[in-house]
Amino acid sequence: MSGIAGWLDWQRDLTTELPTIRAMTTTMTNRGPDDGGVWTSRHAALGHRRLAVIDVSGGTQPMLDGDEDSHTVLSFSGEIYNYRELRAELRGRGQVFRTDSDAEVLLRAYREWGEECVTRLYGVFAFAIWDERERTLLLGRDRLGVKPLYYAEYDGGLLFGSEPKAVLANPLFEPVVDAEGLVDVFVVAAKRPGDAVFRGLREVRPGYTVRVTPDGTRQRRYWSLRSAEHEENLADTTAKVRELLETVVREQLVSEAPFGALLSGGLDSSVLCALAAADPDGTGPLETYSVDFADSETDFTADALHISRDAPYVSAVVAHLGTKHTEVVLDAPALLEEMGTTLRARDIPGVGDLDVSLYLLFQEVRKHATVVFSGEGSDDIFGGFPWFTAVSPEPATSFPWSAGVGDRNAVLSADLRAHLDLNSAVLERYAEALREVPRLDGESAAGRRMREMFYVQLTRFLPFLLDRKDRMSMASGLEVRVPFCDHRLVEYLWNVPWSQKYTGQQEKGLLRDAVADLLPEDVVRRKKSGFPFGQNPEYLLAVRDGVRDMLSDSTSPARQLFDEGTLRAMVDSDAWSNGTYSPPPVLPRALLLDAWLRQYRIAVRP
């Protein structure tokens, strides 16, 4: 997947700034452990770190085309799954290739079609193309935002990178967090598309390009969801879903590096394993990987998002498909020790042990594989989360995963509450999201409500999940592919009515019927259960002790932001959080916030 970084400045000579551009690029080493390089001209500098998956011996970046006065230079992260078809088309149009890489296909596509090239790409990507002749920088991001790309403008220039740390490595950028950024720190999955916590830092929005010239910066949307009547009956819809899944999985199996799949025993990952294991071009049993916690048999407690333990279902799938399986067993008390690692991977406070357990899983998987499948996105396009079946036809005022959450401001200090109202901010952001929904004329009230549900899911909650998966995997140098996030599948499911998605009166009934012949019946009908998390008493005690220490430390920067009485009440009880769907606990996030403010030297200016 790799990591990119760069700098554009219309006034200064960037050929004299090699140490800085190298420092920005070096922050991406975990994303690209195999190779790296930088390229500079007077006004533009691009850096790249490579994780070699396609054309391992070629495809070095930054990649150049043209003579010295008219260079086109590419730094690219991601995978273009239709690169072979595009290469054939471009050759037919006279383009000459030097490598077998998908990166060069993108470079040639830009030379042939300009900015419009992005509409022809099937895959996940974030890229920067500097056109020396046109004096233009083009940034682009895939349709669902699977691959991240950040940028920060300043007077006379722009910085960019796959992660905030690349921009933070340039002394021109000051790490400041204002009230808008604090909303994203304290509230999970309510971030506006394009926001990036730090003041002045932006994300290239999913499905957008950003074009930078001496005349200014222009955003352009090249993809969006389009609402239309779904005219196929249930049988035809079920067949179409199966056809799309088979196509997408087949395309995404391309890799010259060791390949495997994550397996939770849930429907989504099991489907991908079944389709991948059936690939006739496979060279041996599919390698699969699962995660569990030591003593989970006794520590596990069910909640709205964690219905059952994964282990029995994982065993059933492994036996059915004959995969070569590895179970990664984590020690819950050790989770706290790795939170600093996951904080540095995210560059912002994350979701505590949920991040760490995923990171530790990826660390182990990386010892065996470079590329793996993951089932992320299925619940978002088929309606698998419990809030889909609990939705009321009446208008809602907040995000559905926030059901039951009480006063968000209760955790804030009195001083911070004078500048920040989390409750109002969440309501405002939800209303903003609803104003974006592409409506369908004549749709029933119930259909309209479900369309709203799927829209906020795809544009607010799914980006949160994809960001977490990207950071934790790339911190391990592991490429995680998410076939359910293929834009063709997303486009198709967007207009399928809830009555078909919920066939059989079970969440994801449509998907279950489409793949029923591939898996054991108990796996096909298993209710969704979320990613395992640490419930070990020793871990919970360690977190409580950590928060007690933070509240007793007069130098703690986070202490000034929290209401001490509220946090102490959480420490002394089991009420770490509230809400029907058990949002990530407040206490581990408080520790992460404190570490973030210290380590990143954040200036808080609400």
Side-chain angles (χ1 to χ4, degrees):
M1 283 295 185
S2 308
I4 70 176
W7 187 0
L8 177 69
D9 195 295
W10 302 116
Q11 277 85 46
R12 73 187 74 202
D13 182 356
L14 294 184
T15 61
T16 67
E17 300 285 352
L18 269 174
T20 301
I21 187 61
R22 283 176 176 153
M24 294 172 68
T25 304
T26 298
T27 65
M28 298 289 98
T29 298
N30 283 346
R31 298 186 74 92
D34 296 329
D35 193 14
V38 299
W39 176 90
T40 61
S41 66
R42 182 171 180 79
H43 296 301
L46 276 68
H48 187 266
R49 291 296 315 185
R50 187 182 186 210
L51 179 65
V53 173
I54 295 175
D55 190 12
V56 172
S57 60
T60 300
Q61 299 180 53
M63 185 174 286
L64 280 67
D65 185 55
D67 58 41
E68 188 170 351
D69 296 326
S70 62
H71 274 146
T72 303
V73 189
L74 168 71
S75 188
F76 160 71
S77 169
E79 303 288 352
I80 300 172
Y81 300 124
N82 64 330
Y83 77 102
R84 291 169 172 165
E85 294 83 356
L86 285 174
R87 184 198 293 134
E89 181 179 358
L90 288 162
R91 277 179 172 156
R93 300 173 72 95
Q95 293 287 339
V96 178
F97 288 82
R98 301 188 306 269
T99 75
D100 292 325
S101 69
D102 56 343
E104 189 179 7
V105 169
L106 173 55
L107 183 58
R108 299 290 172 193
Y110 173 79
R111 293 300 293 258
E112 185 68 30
W113 296 304
E115 188 173 348
E116 285 298 316
C117 70
V118 71
T119 64
R120 298 172 179 263
L121 308 179
Y122 292 180
V124 297
F125 50 83
F127 66 81
I129 296 176
W130 168 249
D131 190 325
E132 189 81 41
R133 181 176 53 197
E134 299 291 334
R135 298 185 75 207
T136 296
L137 176 71
L138 180 67
L139 305 177
R141 194 174 179 204
D142 66 72
R143 295 164 178 83
L144 272 293
V146 176
K147 290 290 99 183
L149 183 54
Y150 295 83
Y151 68 99
E153 294 183 84
Y154 63 91
D155 186 20
L158 178 143
L159 310 169
F160 66 87
S162 292
E163 297 178 9
K165 58 175 59 68
V167 175
L168 290 166
N170 192 303
L172 292 176
F173 187 82
E174 181 184 5
V176 175
V177 177
D178 56 20
E180 289 298 317
L182 286 173
V183 174
D184 297 330
V185 169
F186 281 102
V187 180
V188 171
K191 186 169 69 68
R192 297 185 182 97
D195 287 356
V197 179
F198 295 95
R199 178 188 292 175
L201 189 66
R202 301 288 296 161
E203 277 192 283
V204 177
R205 293 183 62 170
Y208 275 71
T209 56
V210 175
R211 185 180 180 87
V212 190
T213 69
D215 296 327
T217 301
R218 174 181 63 84
Q219 294 187 66
R220 172 178 171 266
R221 189 173 193 172
Y222 69 88
W223 181 83
S224 62
L225 292 165
R226 299 181 184 276
S227 296
E229 290 285 351
H230 182 77
E231 298 180 352
E232 295 173 326
N233 61 32
L234 179 57
D236 290 342
T237 300
T238 304
K240 181 65 174 179
V241 167
R242 176 63 171 265
E243 176 191 343
L244 282 168
L245 281 171
E246 290 176 346
T247 298
V248 170
V249 168
R250 182 173 62 252
E251 291 175 351
Q252 296 193 22
L253 283 170
V254 176
S255 174
E256 295 179 21
F259 190 95
L262 305 180
L263 176 60
S264 69
L267 177 65
D268 310 327
S269 64
S270 300
V271 167
L272 298 181
C273 289
L275 292 172
D279 176 39
D281 296 327
T283 57
L286 177 70
E287 296 197 8
T288 54
Y289 306 89
S290 65
V291 64
D292 201 359
F293 285 92
D295 302 322
S296 66
E297 299 93 332
T298 55
D299 294 337
F300 178 81
T301 301
D303 62 24
L305 282 182
H306 300 85
I307 305 298
S308 56
R309 289 182 61 241
D310 288 345
Y313 296 93
V314 169
S315 297
V317 175
V318 169
H320 185 76
L321 299 179
T323 69
K324 181 181 178 182
H325 188 70
T326 300
E327 181 185 46
V328 179
V329 180
L330 305 179
D331 183 19
L335 293 180
L336 200 60
E337 300 172 10
E338 293 290 349
M339 282 194 188
T341 304
T342 59
L343 172 64
R344 290 186 292 275
R346 273 189 181 266
D347 295 318
I348 58 173
V351 286
D353 59 284
L354 296 174
D355 282 348
V356 177
S357 56
L358 192 61
Y359 168 76
L360 292 175
L361 168 63
F362 290 153
Q363 283 279 295
E364 185 61 32
V365 171
R366 186 61 176 89
K367 296 175 183 177
H368 311 278
T370 305
V371 183
V372 292
F373 273 167
S374 172
E376 217 76 61
S378 175
D379 289 308
D380 307 270
I381 62 176
F382 286 99
F385 287 103
W387 45 82
F388 281 97
T389 54
V391 67
S392 166
E394 299 301 319
T397 58
S398 188
F399 296 103
W401 46 90
S402 298
V405 173
D407 181 11
R408 297 178 184 275
N409 295 324
V411 300
L412 305 182
S413 67
D415 287 344
L416 188 54
R417 285 199 299 270
H419 303 280
L420 181 63
D421 183 347
L422 294 177
N423 298 323
S424 296
V426 172
L427 296 181
E428 179 183 346
R429 292 186 179 196
Y430 182 68
E432 288 177 1
L434 293 192
R435 289 194 290 270
E436 300 169 7
V437 178
R439 303 294 182 180
L440 180 62
D441 291 341
E443 195 164 39
S444 68
R448 178 186 177 92
R449 179 75 188 103
M450 291 307 299
R451 193 174 294 277
E452 292 174 349
M453 287 278 290
F454 278 99
Y455 186 83
V456 297
Q457 187 73 32
L458 289 169
T459 62
R460 269 60 176 182
F461 198 81
L462 179 59
F464 158 72
L465 297 176
L466 292 175
D467 183 71
R468 169 177 172 252
K469 184 141 289 181
D470 174 84
R471 294 301 190 283
M472 296 307 107
S473 62
M474 295 312 296
S476 308
L478 178 71
E479 176 182 323
V480 176
R481 294 182 179 174
V482 283
F484 286 107
C485 293
D486 182 272
H487 73 278
R488 292 161 293 178
L489 194 57
V490 173
E491 287 173 349
Y492 184 74
L493 268 298
W494 169 248
N495 286 309
V496 173
W498 178 245
S499 59
Q500 291 190 4
K501 291 176 181 174
Y502 194 55
T503 183
Q505 296 297 295
Q506 186 173 11
E507 79 283 358
K508 294 190 292 190
L510 174 60
L511 176 60
R512 297 177 196 278
D513 287 352
V515 301
D517 61 312
L518 297 176
L519 296 163
E521 178 68 14
D522 58 343
V523 175
V524 171
R525 299 302 164 188
R526 183 191 180 192
K527 284 186 171 293
K528 176 180 172 55
S529 194
F531 189 83
F533 66 106
Q535 297 177 316
N536 183 285
E538 293 179 54
Y539 164 71
L540 305 181
L541 179 61
V543 172
R544 288 188 171 97
D545 288 344
V547 174
R548 287 191 183 99
D549 291 343
M550 184 191 82
L551 292 174
S552 301
D553 183 358
S554 60
T555 67
S556 163
R559 181 183 177 191
Q560 313 306 315
L561 304 180
F562 284 102
D563 180 83
E564 183 173 343
T566 300
L567 281 196
R568 288 197 182 278
M570 289 183 175
V571 167
D572 295 334
S573 72
D574 293 326
W576 285 25
S577 61
N578 57 14
T580 305
Y581 299 120
S582 302
V586 172
L587 298 186
R589 301 191 75 217
L591 297 178
L592 283 166
L593 176 59
D594 191 64
W596 181 59
L597 294 172
R598 293 177 190 267
Q599 295 175 20
Y600 284 71
R601 299 180 180 179
I602 306 294
V604 179
R605 297 172 186 165

